[in-house]
């Protein structure tokens, strides 16, 4: 039999390999298609989230051969970026319904542990996880992958970096350098919030990105660097893979 190299990736594996394994954990990457400054691809959230999901599942497979990575869901909640051409928006309600039916299918196949690996700040899956665990005997975990290394994020990419800036550019320069047109990048400078409560972060509002600048970016002045992208991805994927292996090995008991 050929080396079992793709049994962790649903898009590339086959029925023969699937029947040889007992999958405990399913990972669903969820991204978005939207403007990311002038120099990054519209599908940046799909590209980096699928990379993190696949790499984390590959590493977890080496520890516990019971995790499966699903193909990425490409579209997300993007109503506040629709002023930029060809941004694709689906409502949270629609996205939740889509994911719910995916999770129902996984439960039909005996998988009760599901990780939603989120790569877009506009998506909010905490209410969905709460509702599904009430309705089904399925445990849903939500991970915003870019937050996994938050204690080093500011040091690598700058405190105000948020969208289409130093982090996403550095990551893209590492995983898909052919997609980065750095000479076209806008500065990502945005005006501060008018209200102190918003500036301090204890009040939240949705941002209309078209009012921030004309290139849909919020960035620090830290120069992007492929090695910083690699460093951050290695940290993130290492942590997520260890969690997946631990989750797969943990029994669903009264204290789960």
């Amino acid at each position: 039999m050929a080396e079992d190299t793709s049994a962790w990736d649903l898009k590339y594996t086959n029925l023969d390999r699937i029947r040889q394994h007992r999958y405990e954990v399913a990972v669903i990457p969820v991204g978005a298609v939207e403007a990311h400054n002038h120099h990054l691809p519209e599908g940046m959230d799909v590209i980096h989230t699928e990379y993190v999901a696949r790499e984390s599942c590959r590493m977890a497979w080496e520890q516990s051969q019971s995790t499966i990575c699903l193909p990425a869901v490409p579209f997300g909640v993007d109503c506040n970026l629709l002023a930029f051409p060809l941004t694709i928006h689906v409502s949270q309600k629609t996205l939740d319904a889509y994911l719910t039916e995916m999770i129902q299918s996984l439960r039909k196949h005996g998988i009760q542990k599901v990780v939603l690996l989120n790569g877009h700040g506009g998506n909010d899956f905490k209410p969905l996880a709460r509702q599904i665990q009430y309705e089904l005997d399925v445990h849903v975990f939500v991970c915003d992958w870019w937050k996994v290394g938050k204690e080093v994020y500011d040091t690598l990419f700058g405190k105000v970096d948020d969208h289409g800036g130093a982090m996403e550019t550095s990551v893209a320069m590492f995983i898909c350098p052919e997609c980065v047109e750095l000479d076209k990048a806008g500065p990502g400078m945005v005006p501060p919030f008018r209200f102190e409560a918003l500036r301090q972060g204890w009040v939240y509002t949705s941002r209309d990105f078209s009012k921030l600048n004309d290139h849909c970016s919020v960035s620090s002045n830290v120069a992007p660097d492929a090695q910083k992208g690699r460093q951050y991805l290695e940290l993130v994927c290492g942590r997520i893979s260890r969690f997946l292996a631990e989750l797969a090995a943990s029994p669903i008991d009264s204290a789960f």
Side-chain angles (χ1 to χ4, degrees), residues 31-49:
V33 175
E34 60 186 14
H36 277 79
N37 210 320
H38 288 302
H39 67 293
L40 293 176
E42 298 284 298
M44 194 67 242
D45 288 352
V46 184
I47 294 168
H48 57 48
T49 306

Side-chain angles (χ1 to χ4, degrees), residues 29-32 45-46 48-49 117-121 123 143-146 168:
V30 188
D45 288 352
V46 184
H48 57 48
T49 306
L117 189 70
N118 180 38
H120 171 56
N123 300 333
C143 175
D144 296 330
W145 79 259
W146 70 94
E168 289 190 296

